[in-house]
Amino acid sequence: MTQFGGIKRCPVCGSESLIYDPSRAEIVCSECGYVLDEDIMDLGPEWRAFEPGQREKRSRVGAPETVMLHDKGLSTDIDWRNKDIHGSDISGGVRAKIYRLRMWQRRMRISDAIDRNLAFALSELDRMGSQLGLPRNIREIGAVLYRKAVINKLVRGRSIEGMVSACLYAACRIANAPRTLDEIEDVSKVDKKEIGRSYRYLARELNLRLRPTSPIDYVMRFGDQLGINEKTKRRAVKILKQAIEKGLTSGKGPTGIAAAAIYIASLLEGEKMTQREVAEVARVTEVTVRNRYKELVEKLNIRIPT
């Protein structure tokens, strides 16, 4: 079924086969030829492009608005290349003038302390997110959290790096793609103690109601790093669901429980996996994996093949 502007079917013959004719700006029924709508406004460009280069040259809009930039990408920018609109090199006198304009443009874009703070913090957040391999939506959640922290004056007197790391950690939890404090610490310029302190302060002041991290959230990522198959991952998730129902995960570190479930699933599915390999990926000790493994096997009555 084709739907145009809320029109689902032809009022004359009842057909749902509708055609949009851009040359006439009309919506026509393909069965009886009845014109359902006419004089439709074309919101597209008035020019045509037959290759990506032409499209880029003829387009008159910039990048979309984004919270990842301190000015949300709404300001203008002077290109760093010393070429005119036709791609030719500009003369020396004009080049010096362009250089001065470029310098003043940078100063005008970052004119006060808040802009300087946001510019530095958001660039750090983008760098850390890239190194962690986080998708853009999670980085944008972190940027929104940091902007809220700036508006509520929570950054004053605190480490910018610590607050940025805390915002990124919170964003991962909000998006159900949690990262451990150790992983955030690896790409941050502050230690995990400072990140944890900043996160608790941020969550309290912004009234963030985040649910406890579930060990199930770590299974897919840990499984991908270990190279196990999908059947083993699903088996690990099933084990964790049983453990959650019986309250075995309460008070336990989610990464240790997830590592133990993956280890048990690998044994049940016949994949060769050692406790050391699982522990290294989960960033926990072998003792933790061994203890959680024993608890799950005993309480869930799991028979491990010998």
Side-chain angles (χ1 to χ4, degrees), residues 25-78:
E26 296 174 345
I27 296 176
V28 184
C29 175
S30 63
E31 298 293 332
C32 65
Y34 178 75
V35 178
L36 286 80
D37 198 1
E38 58 184 347
D39 296 331
I40 300 172
M41 183 180 295
D42 186 1
L43 301 178
E46 76 281 6
W47 43 262
R48 294 188 300 169
F50 301 98
E51 59 182 23
Q54 285 184 347
R55 182 178 298 276
E56 187 174 332
K57 286 181 180 179
R58 294 176 182 178
S59 178
R60 293 188 294 277
V61 296
E65 180 181 343
T66 174
V67 294
M68 292 301 298
L69 297 176
H70 73 282
D71 55 6
K72 297 187 178 181
L74 297 177
S75 64
T76 57
D77 196 12
I78 299 177

Side-chain angles (χ1 to χ4, degrees), residues 67-134:
V67 294
M68 292 301 298
L69 297 176
H70 73 282
D71 55 6
K72 297 187 178 181
L74 297 177
S75 64
T76 57
D77 196 12
I78 299 177
D79 195 3
W80 60 271
R81 292 169 293 190
N82 293 318
K83 296 187 179 294
D84 60 15
I85 192 173
H86 303 292
S88 304
D89 292 332
I90 59 177
S91 61
V94 177
R95 189 177 303 175
K97 184 178 180 181
I98 293 294
Y99 175 81
R100 288 194 299 272
L101 288 173
R102 201 178 287 133
M103 178 184 65
W104 281 108
Q105 172 68 3
R106 286 196 298 268
R107 292 180 181 178
M108 291 296 294
R109 286 184 64 186
I110 307 175
S111 56
D112 56 17
I114 293 178
D115 283 341
R116 286 193 295 271
N117 186 308
L118 282 174
F120 173 74
L122 295 179
S123 65
E124 278 293 290
L125 191 146
D126 194 39
R127 175 190 66 80
M128 292 167 59
S130 297
Q131 288 184 321
L132 287 170
L134 298 177

Side-chain angles (χ1 to χ4, degrees), residues 2-242:
T2 306
Q3 181 176 351
F4 296 96
I7 304 173
K8 297 182 179 180
R9 61 178 69 246
C10 176
V12 177
C13 66
S15 173
E16 296 180 350
S17 179
L18 309 179
I19 298 175
Y20 170 61
D21 185 356
S23 62
R24 296 178 178 271
E26 296 174 345
I27 296 176
V28 184
C29 175
S30 63
E31 298 293 332
C32 65
Y34 178 75
V35 178
L36 286 80
D37 198 1
E38 58 184 347
D39 296 331
I40 300 172
M41 183 180 295
D42 186 1
L43 301 178
E46 76 281 6
W47 43 262
R48 294 188 300 169
F50 301 98
E51 59 182 23
Q54 285 184 347
R55 182 178 298 276
E56 187 174 332
K57 286 181 180 179
R58 294 176 182 178
S59 178
R60 293 188 294 277
V61 296
E65 180 181 343
T66 174
V67 294
M68 292 301 298
L69 297 176
H70 73 282
D71 55 6
K72 297 187 178 181
L74 297 177
S75 64
T76 57
D77 196 12
I78 299 177
D79 195 3
W80 60 271
R81 292 169 293 190
N82 293 318
K83 296 187 179 294
D84 60 15
I85 192 173
H86 303 292
S88 304
D89 292 332
I90 59 177
S91 61
V94 177
R95 189 177 303 175
K97 184 178 180 181
I98 293 294
Y99 175 81
R100 288 194 299 272
L101 288 173
R102 201 178 287 133
M103 178 184 65
W104 281 108
Q105 172 68 3
R106 286 196 298 268
R107 292 180 181 178
M108 291 296 294
R109 286 184 64 186
I110 307 175
S111 56
D112 56 17
I114 293 178
D115 283 341
R116 286 193 295 271
N117 186 308
L118 282 174
F120 173 74
L122 295 179
S123 65
E124 278 293 290
L125 191 146
D126 194 39
R127 175 190 66 80
M128 292 167 59
S130 297
Q131 288 184 321
L132 287 170
L134 298 177
R136 187 168 185 83
N137 68 307
I138 295 181
R139 286 183 251 172
E140 288 179 347
I141 293 172
V144 170
L145 289 175
Y146 190 82
R147 286 178 181 274
K148 288 182 179 179
V150 171
I151 292 171
N152 289 279
K153 300 180 180 179
L154 305 181
V155 185
R156 185 173 298 173
R158 292 185 172 269
S159 165
I160 294 178
E161 290 85 356
M163 292 299 290
V164 167
S165 303
C167 289
L168 198 60
Y169 177 73
C172 292
R173 293 187 58 176
I174 291 172
N176 293 326
R179 294 297 188 271
T180 62
L181 287 175
D182 290 320
E183 291 176 296
I184 300 292
E185 182 187 33
D186 288 342
V187 298
S188 179
K189 296 178 181 178
V190 293
D191 57 24
K192 66 178 182 180
K193 186 177 180 181
E194 173 67 22
I195 298 171
R197 189 187 303 117
S198 299
Y199 167 72
R200 289 189 294 272
Y201 174 70
L202 185 77
R204 183 177 68 250
E205 296 298 324
L206 294 183
N207 197 26
L208 299 179
R209 305 280 184 181
L210 301 179
R211 67 175 180 84
T213 304
S214 172
I216 296 176
D217 296 334
Y218 292 97
V219 170
M220 293 302 170
R221 185 159 57 88
F222 289 171
D224 289 340
Q225 293 176 7
L226 289 166
I228 60 177
N229 59 44
E230 292 298 321
K231 190 176 181 181
T232 304
K233 295 177 192 174
R234 289 195 297 270
R235 189 70 173 265
V237 171
K238 185 178 179 181
I239 292 171
L240 287 173
K241 287 181 178 179
Q242 293 174 350

